[in-house]
Amino acid sequence: MNKKWAELNKTLQDQLKKEETFTDGVQTVFRLRQELFDVLCQLKSELTREEFNDSPYLNAEGYHSKTIAYSIWHIFRIEDIVAHTLIRNDEELFMLGNFAYRINSPIITTGNELDNKQVAEFSKVLDLDELYNYGIAVMRSTNEILSDICFSDLKRKMTDTEKARLKQLNVVSADEKAYWLIDYWCGKDIKGLIQMPFTRHWIMHIEASLRIRNKLLRID
């Protein structure tokens, strides 16, 4: 893991553990997320649209076997689902903003169910500008949600009602490669969800995207 990101990730975890440092912890979350999003913006300026669809590590094990376009979709689709359907219990930005149409996405799910060939085909049809607009909207909305929570909220877990609602929306595929996410998220408290998917999940997929970028641009 990138040393600076790893240090910020460790700092925010330590800060969120104590009520007296909780507010500082939330600010560290924002700082880390902004630094990571800046990397995504850098990728948009460095790569061609076609390179966002490339899979130079197609047969590898790990997140770098995907495409950068897919990784961006995956990061923010998951975050939108968790932030709104589970934590805030309101409508996802994806639905409110008609992003399926705007992004030209054939799916409304997280994409976990797609095999590598399907990931490549999926990536090609996406409107990249609208995908970035979606990412910006989700990041800002999640930051607002995190600004509103207090230290005592961190131990709140998802209820059976919230879990049932998530299932009814069909935003997580019933495929075994995806459906486990429902139990995973609903088994965590708010503090755990800040880590996965709001911070560490970003790091994992953006580091994979940088690895893809480096291979495409022949950067050592």
Side-chain angles (χ1 to χ4, degrees), residues 188-207:
K188 290 183 174 292
D189 55 19
I190 300 295
K191 184 174 179 292
L193 293 174
I194 290 175
Q195 177 73 349
M196 290 286 284
F198 297 163
T199 51
R200 193 168 187 274
H201 189 243
W202 281 44
I203 293 173
M204 293 157 60
H205 282 281
I206 291 173
E207 286 195 326

Side-chain angles (χ1 to χ4, degrees), residues 67-108:
T67 70
I68 296 175
Y70 168 87
S71 294
I72 296 170
W73 167 273
H74 182 72
I75 290 169
F76 293 107
R77 194 70 198 92
I78 282 181
E79 180 160 315
D80 193 12
I81 293 167
V82 171
H84 288 278
T85 296
L86 291 179
I87 296 178
R88 181 158 278 186
N89 197 25
D90 60 7
E91 192 167 6
E92 295 166 19
L93 299 186
F94 188 77
M95 312 304 179
L96 282 173
N98 196 23
F99 276 105
Y101 172 77
R102 291 167 58 181
I103 298 172
N104 193 38
S105 173
I107 64 173
I108 66 170

Side-chain angles (χ1 to χ4, degrees), residues 164-180:
R165 180 170 177 262
L166 175 57
K167 290 180 178 180
Q168 290 169 358
L169 289 173
N170 295 317
V171 292
V172 177
S173 170
D175 188 285
E176 64 180 1
K177 290 183 289 186
Y179 206 64
W180 63 271

Side-chain angles (χ1 to χ4, degrees), residues 10 24 42 57 65 67 87 99 112 188 199 206 211:
K10 183 179 184 304
D24 291 333
Q42 179 183 340
Y57 296 102
S65 67
T67 70
I87 296 178
F99 276 105
N112 287 69
K188 290 183 174 292
T199 51
I206 291 173
R211 187 170 177 182

Side-chain angles (χ1 to χ4, degrees), residues 16 19 22 149-157 189-190:
L16 293 176
E19 188 167 7
F22 167 73
I149 67 173
C150 57
F151 181 74
S152 61
D153 293 326
L154 294 181
K155 294 183 179 180
R156 178 171 75 82
K157 286 191 174 183
D189 55 19
I190 300 295

